Amino acid sequence: MNTILIKLFATALTLSQVTTKPEALKTQFDPAVDGPQVVQILRDGCAHMRKAFDIEDINLDELISTAMEDPTAVAGPAAPKILHGLDIGELNTSYKQFCKGENPKGSPFDAREVIEFYNRATTDLPTAEALRDKALPGMTRILDASGKPFAETFEPNGRRLVVPIADVPPLVRQAFIAAEDKRFESHHGIDERGVIRAFIGNLAAPGRPAGGSTITQQVVKNLSVGDDVTYERKIREMIVASRLERILGKPQILGLYLNGIYLGRGAYGIEMAARSYFGKSVGQLTLPEAALLAGMPKGPNFYSPDKYPERARERRAYVLARLKEEGAITEAEMAAAVASDLGLKPVETARRDSGFYVVDHLTREARTFAGLDSLTAHSFTVRSTINAGLQRAVEGALQDGLANYERGTGRQTYPGPEFNLTESVRKLQAAVPAPEAAPQSLPGVTGAEAKPTEIKPAEAKAPVGRPARGKATVAAPAGKPVWLRALESARPVLYDVRWPLAVVLETGRNGVKVGLGDGRVASLDPGIARGKLQPYDVVRVKLREGTGPRDEKGLRAEIRVKPSVQGAALVLENRTGRILAMAGGFSYPASQLNRVTQAVRQPGSTLKPLTYLAALNAGLQPNTLVMDAPVTLPPIGGVGDSWSPKNYDGGGSGPTTLRRGLEFSKNLVTARLLQGGIADKAPASLKRVCDIALEAQIYAACEPYYPFVLGAQPVRMIDLAGFYAAVANEGARTAPYALEGIERDGTPVYAHAAREPVRIGSADRVAFYQLKTMLQGVTNHGTAAALSRVSQFVAGKTGTSENENDAWFAGFTNEVTVVVWVGYDNADGTRKTLGRGQTGGHVSVPIASAIFQAAWANGVAKTALAPPSPEARQMLVDVSIDPRSGQRVAGGGFTEHFRKAADGRMADTQYKLLPRENAYAMRPDAEDGDLSGTEDGADVAGDAYGNRAPDADLLDPFGDRRPALRSRRAQGDVEGGYRPWPGQTARSPFGDDDLRPRRRDPDYLFGDDPRY
């Protein structure tokens, strides 16, 4: 039996059942015994069809005879794919056998083969109940902190706003029914006359096959069985549609249809389409607007009013005529609607390019706090804490900072263009307008969209895949360059990267020319891509205006490439915990891992303030002298090795104040605080530091290792930010969050409950305020001195983990906390260094600087760091001291904040850890700044926690791994191997050349140094 004929009979078996006895529909037959039953069902079905056509006074025999007049239409190569290969003679014989009661000789019908195909097609059939209970995925609108649209989130093919059918005006419903399924109210899911008409039409007019689907069938196709053009799908569709009609009313089915269909402009459902095309809700649609949308399901692209307005007008006129035929509108109303303009709002072509990590985080918070499995299960309105302008700026600052790091260290590589437009340009040039047949049942058919463009000889001879080397064709019809049209329709790979796209138009002796998205052409400095660019390559660039005379005037572009280094940044509102901006990586499409919340890294010296806080809370003062000299701490509990940390240069600078130990991030000073500075014994001191870390919710558990105080235990960025915000708040910690509330159809689903910050009771307000002032010293003249111009507004701490694997800055103003991390991902189990000298002060501080400036430019107040609270003020006394010795001075000096003793006078602890007679000068520091390696993390001569290896050289822990820092500087290496960024000095992220030099330890402890 002919294969196509088997499938036709199986489809006819389905149609016969759903139209004659839908309540007794069978989805499985026994090939051995049910043959006679199948034959009878087919005959009953054919009789039903003939009767249905008799109602319309149409001769079905004549229709079929006319369709069969040209046998090649069915059997030939021009036949529809679903009929290709059908024997017209066998079809005619079968028709006589089942529909005319004849017994022709040589009948091709084989019941077993038909049953077997039918049984396979109906295996694992979807249930109608699943559609009845189906919740259409919707588009959720995310608002920023000011209530303005920030982002949309939806599943693929799910950008819709679900609207109740009761909210759809009757005229809109009638328009769709008139256009798509005029017998919708009377049939039972399958319109047998429509099916037969479609089949006969396929015989008589070969081309794209028509399906004759009802609205109910389209619901099943779109939401259940899929839209592949096969007999199996049609069989399944008819069965499920018939069953759906038995459990849902017509309004509910129409509601599924109107909310499910695609109507162009990326809009699914009538509500989203109304907003996309006309900027209004479905309830506000006028007659011509409703008719325009009702005509589009047949082919959203073919009848697109944006691309083919005349086709859209003709289709709208057809729908209006159908409405008049049905008596829904008058002749005058139809005429007025036909003559009206299309009334479209401009196409919103801008694609979202920001906040992808934020949307993911909001989804997780919705699951955790609101109990919602997905934000796309329905159409929600989500209110977030995000400052949209700051969010974009933070992403841009991180991207620039990561790229500048790789450019400055020579680690940048060129992986090739983001994509190439050669084929797109060729298609646009070769496109020739041709008449198109309107689609019969499925959307998406389109033809040539561009006028022909002459191909230049050089390009015509180019090999496939590349234009001729040297110069790209830029001519195009209608005044718009063909490369620009190709670029406009392209989908960038890194769609959230701030650097603009540029199309290579020319390479050669005259340099490289690139075209930009706004149509301008610029000269490109190819940099690392020199000699590797081809015409129509699309690359990322940084734009600037040439200044001349050596720098050629005019628009200039510098190439930018995706770095291999990663990073993350977070901006947190101190007093509320509201997340104002979050960048979880360089680019979301390149990596969806959110390094703010989903990754842990060693924080290095950004964790040291915990130890200093514990020391201040234990009664030490910022001027307490600590010996910056080698120290060995005994094993904890007598188990394991002792611990001998080291500074960056392996030595120490002698007596150092507590303040200076933090400002210049001294490992030895931090370690010595465990030896009597916090508690009598080092293990007890470590426990107190851990207690603060746990109460501050930086960690859920502390590793019982001394190197913990140097940042050896990995931390989440968001948890570290919470601690620094608490320091800004004098010990009041807030829980970071981004989700303010969720609504569905105007009904609240979730609202964030405002909570007062929780005080960290392991340290008092005085200790927190003293720590804040010491962290301000870090930005004024310590390891983050690049921020010295704004240090009255900013305090913070740099951090660098072992072997410069991680570079951090964590800091705050009165209003916000900013944390930045830079490093390489280590998902493969290996740790990659940023390079010698690439510390938090060199790599992360400039990024943080840009973020602080962006925060102030986007509504965050810029106020000087606040004085102590009244509670802390009454326990503090201000005294002028010499900043190096810590001793009181009669006039001038540095104003330090001291804790009062029980008797109300200043508690003097300057020599508590170091007797006065032992305070003598040591050699000066070898290097200031954020001293990486063992200073900011663990002992590189030992294990990951800094436990010293047995054979390590205590005097030279780094062996021959690096040259002396002083000798490198003598050779002209700026800032430890890192070049100043464009437009900046080596120390200032603001481009100021008149900054005072960064502070160095003096030659003698009590010497004068006016630069402090």
Side-chain angles (χ1 to χ4, degrees), residues 29 44 192-193 291 623 704 769 857:
F29 292 91
D44 291 345
E192 53 268 44
R193 280 171 281 184
N623 75 332
Y769 182 74

Side-chain angles (χ1 to χ4, degrees), residues 64 67 391 845:
I64 293 176
Q391 176 66 35
V845 166

